[in-house]
């Protein structure tokens, strides 16, 4: 994967039918924040029955205050729609930013309401 300003987000394959998995590429900042937010929201709208959003941060570069705001907005949208939210492969720079801003636990701890809804949905689909 190569980051380019035109594609700050790439859809990744997943074996889970109710999961949207996306890779964040390059910097998440003032210049790319709106495109990332729009792309993720579009991906969620295009996948019916989404229960989990996974953002792969392996190739994420610098994250400024706008980028942090985008992550918080995506988390809020996911929780509002009862979609699990997971940041994967958080690098040391992003972890430090989340720690310093006091948002690490908020963005990485599963929402209990979403977890309960997921458990209920899984129990229903198994019966």
């Amino acid at each position: 994967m190569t980051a380019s300003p035109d594609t700050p987000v790439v859809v990744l394959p997943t074996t889970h039918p109710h999961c949207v998995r996306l890779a964040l590429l390059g910097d998440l900042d003032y210049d790319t924040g709106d495109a990332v937010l729009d792309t993720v929201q579009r991906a969620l709208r295009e996948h019916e029955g989404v229960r989990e959003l996974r953002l792969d941060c392996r190739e994420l570069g610098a994250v400024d205050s706008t980028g942090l705001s985008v992550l918080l907005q995506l988390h809020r949208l996911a929780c509002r729609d009862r979609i699990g939210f997971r940041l994967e492969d958080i690098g040391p720079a992003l972890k430090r930013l989340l720690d310093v801003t006091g948002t690490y636990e908020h963005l990485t701890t599963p929402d209990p309401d979403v977890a309960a809804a997921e458990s209920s949905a899984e129990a229903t689909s198994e019966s």
Side-chain angles (χ1 to χ4, degrees), residues 41-94:
Q41 288 177 313
R42 186 175 337 105
L44 291 173
R45 281 192 308 269
E46 291 173 354
H47 291 84
E48 210 171 302
V50 174
R51 291 190 204 138
E52 185 173 27
L53 171 61
R54 295 182 184 184
L55 299 177
D56 186 319
C57 301
R58 177 184 346 233
E59 293 195 35
L60 188 59
V63 179
D64 69 4
S65 60
T66 299
L68 178 59
S69 175
V70 168
L71 293 175
L72 290 166
Q73 288 178 69
L74 291 171
H75 181 269
R76 186 177 334 117
L77 290 169
C79 288
R80 180 197 69 196
D81 294 338
R82 295 176 119 21
I83 296 171
F85 179 89
R86 184 182 304 176
L87 295 177
E88 297 179 334
D89 295 312
I90 297 173
L94 179 57

Side-chain angles (χ1 to χ4, degrees), residues 82-123:
R82 295 176 119 21
I83 296 171
F85 179 89
R86 184 182 304 176
L87 295 177
E88 297 179 334
D89 295 312
I90 297 173
L94 179 57
K95 176 142 182 5
R96 176 157 169 64
L97 173 67
L98 299 179
D99 283 339
V100 167
T101 58
T103 57
Y104 181 79
E105 292 295 322
H106 178 70
L107 289 174
T108 60
T109 303
D111 182 315
D113 292 334
V114 172
E118 286 176 352
S119 294
S120 175
E122 286 175 11

Side-chain angles (χ1 to χ4, degrees), residues 17-28:
H18 300 290
C19 177
V20 171
R21 188 165 173 252
L22 305 167
L24 301 179
L25 307 175
D27 297 340
L28 181 53

